[in-house]
């Protein structure tokens, strides 16, 4: 909608729709809305059942534009009410009952009697009134969609006296639409379930008083009160309380996260066992769950390459079917065939040629896959990225915080002196006075594993830039730092270094007391994730790091990576990604430091993006939880989705070709035609719904 950019945001309204049954109906509805006085533009999103209206139009005006389909219009933040089954399909049930009466009348009075045809005709009118209404309007505007073709076929069948065929075709078409509507609702259920996650109201404390208010009325800085078992209504920071929070709806993590004062929490997550006071940090429209829902809905509307191809193909397909149907109806009678026989065959060609199954084959798979991914803590930003992940053969990983824990940890200690307590006491005394990351990691180890050791009293403490630290302990100068600081370095130190570990020594001028080996350890899941990716057909896995070659080489061996690139600056990572053939590589990183490389890759994947606005905005794919296991799942889902799309297109075209071949011996009937169309639509939809089961 190009004109929208020139309009004030207030002139656009978004509504939810109830009753959209097919993609072609959505297009007809969109065109009708555009013709409303005061409407400058409109865009119907079939996959998410929404419409954007630019300009001025009342809900009743918009519903009138959708009266051919009995479309109901609901405000965006309102959950549509489901009609009871008997009310929603009352006309179909009545039409079916009339067909049964028609069969009975046919048996009682015979084929020549007028009564069966009257009943069949009444059944066709009752069951197909909305169909005929939309089809005739389309005919006057030369729009040849599915309903137009069906209307021509049913009216033609009535003209040549095939009243029973006309009635049954109308009923089967209505059933087909009902099944498609049900299936699309099922596919959309992932997004609807996300929408229900966050409460509509919250209990807050204002001016010392507790009150329950709508989330739209909560301001930044308000304090919300959350009891055990309740869902958190807003993004915020805990100011009082301690609890376990189930964050599966945001991050996909199965284990609850422990949260206390100063920790951030997300709307839609569940407070399990503590009372919390939370200071609101974002408005309702800006919460993480609101952004996820919005982005997933946008992603479902973004056309994948396969869908774009189908759209172009359908533009030529429908006119071609009309031409074939006309040829079947007219040409054989010119050479001696019966007009009634071949006109009937031509009408059957129109019915079987309905492009419904073909049009829905790709979007239903994309909707299902992206919705399933969102429920599992993976945000895929569009159908194009869903397809691209499935074609990737190379993945590059950032090291720190992606393949590794992100902070150094003590892996080994080795004593060169028999006085272990003295060595530990000296090291603890020195490191307690340093702010270096390695010192902090050492102190964490000391406090966890060596709690009985008392830190030595250190005098004249000095930090030696680039080398280490020193201080006087019991009148003796003790050093702690790089092995280069010491004269004679034992072989044990060299073996640690070959394993990619950073070594820190502690000792005096006369005696070496101990060695501490540290490393930014790989995540527990990193090795298995790399193996899973290789099993899924990823040929090459790279690690891109600024660390020195020994550390990189050791991690390559430990994790079974294909290759590593060490000593890289951010621009070096960018050049590496750009240098790949056709740029056919995915890059996974933290979404901030590696932004250039992420942007240059075919698919940029941000790691641990929950609550990180920049990562949500810039990445093609965001793994919301800090869980690398979501990467093989995403690749697997994408591969499955690609397979389903190809299968659906093959089913949709193949079934129609088989049905059209029945024209040659004259075996194609309206019944077979509608069953072929209905069967193809149902088949592609049910096939796509299998993607909901992938986990």
């Amino acid at each position: 909608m190009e004109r929208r950019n020139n309009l004030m945001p207030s002139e656009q309204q978004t509504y939810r729709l109830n009753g959209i049954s097919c993609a072609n109906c959505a297009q007809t509805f969109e065109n009708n809305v555009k013709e409303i006085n005061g409407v400058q533009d409109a865009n119907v999103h079939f996959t998410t059942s929404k419409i954007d209206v630019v300009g001025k139009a009342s809900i009743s005006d918009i519903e009138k534009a959708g009266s051919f389909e009995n479309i109901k219009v609901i405000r965006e933040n309102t959950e549509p009410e489901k009609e009871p089954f008997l009310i929603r399909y009352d006309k179909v049930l009545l039409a079916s009952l009339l067909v049964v009466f028609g069969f009975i009348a046919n048996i009682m009075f015979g084929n020549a009697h007028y009564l069966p045809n009257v009943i069949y005709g009444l059944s066709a009118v009752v069951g197909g009134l909305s169909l005929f209404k939309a089809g005739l309007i389309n005919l006057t505007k030369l729009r040849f969609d599915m309903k137009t073709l069906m209307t021509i076929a049913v009216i033609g069948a009535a003209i040549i006296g095939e009243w029973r065929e006309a009635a049954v075709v109308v009923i089967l078409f209505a059933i087909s639409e009902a099944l498609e509507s049900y299936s699309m609702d099922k596919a959309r259920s992932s997004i609807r379930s996300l929408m229900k996650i966050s409460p509509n109201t919250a209990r807050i404390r204002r001016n010392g008083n507790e009150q329950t208010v709508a989330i739209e009325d909560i301001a930044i800085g308000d304090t919300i009160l959350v009891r055990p078992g309740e869902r958190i209504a807003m993004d915020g920071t805990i100011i009082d309380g301690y609890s376990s929070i189930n964050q599966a709806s945001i991050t996909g993590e199965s284990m609850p996260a422990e949260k206390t004062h100063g920790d951030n929490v997300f709307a839609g997550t569940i407070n399990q066992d503590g009372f919390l006071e939370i200071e609101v940090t974002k408005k309702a429209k800006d919460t993480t769950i609101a952004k996820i829902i919005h982005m997933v809905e946008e992603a479902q509307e973004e056309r994948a390459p396969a869908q774009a191809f189908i759209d172009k193909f359908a533009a030529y397909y429908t006119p071609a079917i009309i031409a074939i149907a006309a040829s079947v109806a007219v040409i054989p009678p010119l050479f001696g065939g019966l007009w009634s026989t071949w006109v009937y065959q031509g009408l059957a060609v129109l019915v079987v040629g309905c492009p419904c199954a073909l049009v829905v084959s790709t979007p239903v798979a994309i909707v299902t896959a992206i919705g399933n991914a969102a429920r599992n803590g993976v945000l895929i930003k569009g159908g194009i990225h869903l397809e691209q992940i499935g074609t990737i053969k190379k993945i590059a990983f950032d090291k720190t915080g992606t393949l590794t824990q992100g902070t150094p940890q003590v892996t080994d200690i080795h004593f060169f002196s028999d006085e272990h307590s003295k060595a530990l006491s000296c090291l603890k005394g020195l490191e307690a006075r340093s702010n270096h990351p390695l010192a902090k990691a050492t102190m964490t180890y000391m406090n966890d594993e060596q709690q009985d050791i008392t830190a030595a009293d250190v005098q004249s403490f000095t930090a030696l830039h680039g080398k280490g630290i020193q201080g006087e302990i019991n009148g003796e100068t003790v050093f702690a730092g790089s092995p280069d600081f010491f004269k004679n370095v034992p072989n044990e130190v060299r073996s640690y270094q070959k394993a990619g570990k950073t070594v820190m020594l502690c000792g005096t001028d006369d005696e070496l007391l101990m060695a501490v080996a540290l490393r930014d350890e790989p995540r527990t899941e990193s090795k298995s994730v790399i193996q899973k990716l290789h099993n899924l057909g990823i040929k090459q896995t790279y690690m891109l790091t600024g660390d020195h070659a020994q550390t990189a080489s050791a991690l390559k061996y430990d994790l079974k990576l294909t290759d590593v690139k060490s000593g890289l600056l951010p621009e070096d990572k960018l050049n590496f990604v750009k240098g790949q053939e056709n740029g056919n590589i995915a890059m996974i990183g933290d979404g901030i430091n590696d932004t250039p490389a992420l942007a240059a890759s075919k698919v940029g994947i941000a790691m641990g993006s929950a609550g990180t606005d920049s990562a949500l905005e810039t990445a093609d794919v965001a793994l919301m939880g800090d869980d690398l296991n979501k990467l093989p799942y995403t690749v697997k889902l994408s591969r499955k989705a690609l397979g389903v799309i190809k299968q659906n297109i093959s089913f949709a075209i193949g079934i129609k070709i088989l049905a059209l071949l029945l024209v040659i011996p004259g075996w194609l009937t309206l019944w077979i035609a509608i069953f072929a169309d209905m069967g193809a639509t149902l088949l592609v939809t049910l096939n796509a719904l299998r993607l909901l089961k992938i986990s």
Side-chain angles (χ1 to χ4, degrees):
M1 293 192 298
E2 296 166 1
R3 286 177 290 174
R4 186 180 300 173
N5 296 329
N6 299 322
L7 298 167
M8 295 297 291
S10 59
E11 293 181 304
Q12 177 178 314
Q13 292 291 329
T14 300
Y15 301 96
R16 296 199 174 273
L17 305 171
N18 208 7
I20 287 278
S21 62
C22 67
N24 284 321
C25 308
Q27 186 61 56
T28 301
F29 176 50
E30 179 181 297
N31 293 333
N32 291 347
V33 173
K34 287 179 180 178
E35 294 174 1
I36 298 173
N37 287 333
V39 172
Q40 299 170 44
D41 209 347
N43 188 14
V44 173
H45 308 282
F46 170 61
T47 53
T48 52
S49 287
K50 293 172 72 174
I51 182 172
D52 299 325
V53 180
V54 181
K56 294 181 179 179
S58 66
I59 287 179
S60 60
D61 287 338
I62 300 172
E63 286 188 341
K64 194 177 295 182
S67 60
F68 69 93
E69 186 78 352
N70 197 27
I71 295 169
K72 299 299 179 186
V73 180
I74 307 111
R75 295 199 177 276
E76 185 177 19
N77 294 324
T78 304
E79 182 66 20
E81 294 182 8
K82 286 191 176 182
E83 291 181 302
F85 180 84
L86 290 176
I87 294 177
R88 189 174 184 181
Y89 300 112
D90 55 349
K91 292 179 181 178
V92 178
L93 295 171
L94 179 56
S96 302
L97 194 60
L98 287 171
V99 165
V100 173
F101 289 153
F103 275 111
I104 294 171
N106 203 81
I107 294 170
M108 292 176 64
F109 300 106
N111 292 331
H113 201 278
Y114 71 90
L115 184 59
N117 287 340
V118 170
I119 297 175
Y120 289 137
L122 185 60
S123 172
V125 171
V126 170
L129 189 59
S130 62
L131 165 66
F132 302 144
K133 189 176 179 181
L136 291 172
I137 291 172
N138 288 343
L139 269 176
T140 62
K141 298 179 180 180
L142 298 179
R143 293 178 189 156
F144 292 96
D145 65 5
M146 179 178 61
K147 292 196 173 183
T148 311
L149 302 185
M150 291 298 299
T151 299
I152 295 171
V154 172
I155 293 174
I159 290 173
I160 63 175
E162 295 288 349
W163 291 97
R164 181 175 64 181
E165 298 267 338
V168 173
V169 164
V170 165
I171 292 168
L172 290 175
F173 176 72
I175 294 172
S176 174
E177 280 203 317
L179 289 171
E180 183 180 345
S181 178
Y182 169 79
S183 301
M184 284 304 298
D185 282 346
K186 189 77 174 174
R188 297 172 183 134
S189 64
S190 296
I191 300 305
R192 289 183 177 171
S193 65
L194 284 176
M195 291 174 61
K196 295 175 182 177
I197 283 172
S198 188
N200 294 322
T201 61
R203 191 169 54 261
I204 69 171
R205 182 189 294 130
R206 277 183 185 164
N207 303 320
N209 298 319
E210 292 187 15
Q211 53 187 297
T212 300
V213 299
I215 59 171
E216 292 82 6
D217 298 327
I218 297 176
I220 294 174
D222 277 341
T223 299
I224 61 173
L225 311 174
V226 188
R227 296 190 182 104
E230 292 182 340
R231 284 191 182 273
I232 297 170
M234 304 289 286
D235 282 14
T237 302
I238 297 174
I239 56 176
D240 189 32
Y242 171 85
S243 184
S244 297
I245 307 292
N246 183 335
Q247 300 187 135
S249 56
I250 300 293
T251 65
E253 295 169 300
S254 58
M255 296 298 294
E258 302 298 319
K259 300 279 186 174
T260 188
H261 182 275
D263 289 336
N264 294 326
V265 292
F266 306 112
T269 57
I270 302 172
N271 176 28
Q272 293 196 323
D273 50 24
F275 181 82
L276 297 176
E277 294 186 16
I278 300 167
E279 181 180 341
V280 175
T281 57
K282 293 182 181 178
K283 294 181 179 179
K285 65 178 182 179
D286 298 324
T287 62
T288 300
I289 188 67
K291 286 187 175 183
I292 291 172
I293 293 169
H294 177 67
M295 289 181 178
V296 170
E297 288 187 330
E298 282 190 337
Q300 291 179 342
E301 293 301 330
E302 183 181 332
R303 275 163 165 66
Q307 188 173 350
F309 165 75
I310 290 298
D311 290 344
K312 290 180 181 178
F313 180 74
Y316 298 98
Y317 171 84
T318 303
I321 286 294
I322 294 173
I324 293 171
S327 300
V328 169
V330 174
I331 294 176
L334 295 178
F335 294 92
L338 292 174
W339 280 98
S340 59
T341 300
W342 288 102
V343 167
Y344 178 87
Q345 290 285 298
L347 295 174
V349 169
L350 277 183
V351 173
V352 80
C354 287
C356 184
L358 189 61
V359 170
V360 82
S361 61
T362 301
V364 71
I366 290 171
V367 169
T368 306
I370 290 178
N372 183 22
R375 285 192 309 164
N376 283 280
V378 178
L379 179 58
I380 301 175
K381 301 284 286 293
I384 184 171
H385 307 305
L386 179 69
E387 283 198 22
Q388 286 174 337
I389 299 167
T391 63
I392 288 293
K393 298 295 182 183
K394 303 177 185 177
I395 296 182
F397 295 84
D398 172 48
K399 180 183 83 75
T400 305
T402 301
L403 287 175
T404 65
Q405 303 284 355
T407 56
Q409 298 176 29
V410 173
T411 60
D412 305 272
I413 59 171
H414 183 84
F415 294 100
F416 301 104
S417 166
D418 293 333
E419 298 181 88
H420 294 185
S421 296
K422 175 187 174 183
L424 290 168
S425 178
C426 290
L427 182 63
K428 191 171 185 178
L430 289 170
E431 299 291 25
R433 288 162 173 75
S434 174
N435 286 322
H436 193 279
L438 295 182
K440 291 180 180 179
T442 303
M443 286 304 298
T444 298
Y445 166 80
M446 289 286 191
N447 292 331
D448 291 343
E449 304 295 332
Q450 304 290 345
Q451 297 178 7
D452 56 331
I453 298 297
T454 301
D457 182 29
V458 178
Q459 305 294 323
S460 304
F461 176 82
T462 306
L464 305 171
H465 183 67
K467 295 183 178 180
I469 53 180
Q470 71 178 38
E472 285 191 12
I473 301 175
N474 297 325
E476 189 175 25
T477 301
V478 181
F479 305 93
S482 167
D484 296 337
F485 202 3
F486 297 85
K487 295 178 181 178
N488 299 314
V489 179
N491 291 331
E492 290 86 353
V493 172
R494 303 301 181 198
S495 64
Y496 288 144
Q497 290 176 328
K498 287 180 181 178
K501 299 177 182 180
T502 300
V503 181
M504 182 170 56
L505 297 179
C506 179
T508 66
D509 285 331
D510 301 321
E511 181 185 19
L512 199 56
L513 298 175
M514 65 179 296
V516 179
L518 305 95
R519 186 169 73 166
D520 183 4
E521 285 290 89
R523 291 172 176 268
T524 54
E525 71 270 22
S526 290
K527 186 173 182 179
S528 64
V529 165
I530 300 298
Q531 184 61 52
K532 288 175 184 176
L533 290 172
H534 287 161
N535 293 341
L536 284 168
I538 301 297
K539 302 296 184 184
Q540 292 172 292
T541 50
Y542 299 94
M543 182 179 71
L544 310 182
T545 179
D547 273 355
H548 57 75
Q550 280 187 326
T551 299
S553 178
L555 275 173
K556 173 191 173 183
Y557 175 79
D558 287 349
L559 302 181
K560 308 299 182 186
L561 292 157
T562 306
D563 198 3
V564 296
K565 303 295 178 183
S566 58
L568 302 183
L569 296 172
E571 56 266 32
D572 298 324
K573 294 181 181 181
L574 173 62
N575 291 332
F576 173 81
V577 169
K578 282 184 174 180
Q580 299 303 303
E581 185 179 356
N582 300 321
N584 192 17
I585 188 170
M587 172 75 188
I588 177 168
D590 60 14
I592 299 173
N593 299 331
D594 299 299
T595 299
L598 289 172
S601 61
K602 190 169 185 178
V603 181
I605 305 170
M607 178 82 172
S609 306
T612 308
D613 292 342
S614 60
L616 287 175
E617 294 292 341
T618 58
D620 300 322
V621 178
L623 308 185
M624 302 303 294
D626 201 23
D627 184 3
L628 204 57
N629 280 308
K630 298 297 181 184
L631 185 57
Y633 156 78
T634 305
V635 174
K636 179 182 176 182
L637 178 66
S638 176
R639 298 270 171 88
K640 292 286 186 181
L642 277 177
V644 165
I645 289 170
K646 291 174 183 176
Q647 291 164 11
N648 281 358
I649 294 172
S650 301
F651 290 154
I653 296 176
I655 289 176
K656 292 184 183 297
I657 290 174
L658 288 174
L660 288 172
L661 289 175
L662 296 178
V663 172
I664 298 172
W667 294 347
L668 183 62
T669 67
L670 285 172
W671 290 37
I672 293 176
I674 190 65
F675 269 121
D677 179 66
M678 181 173 68
T681 302
L682 187 59
L683 192 60
V684 299
T685 308
L686 292 176
N687 190 41
L689 291 179
R690 292 190 301 118
L691 294 170
L692 288 173
K693 297 181 179 180
I694 295 176
S695 59

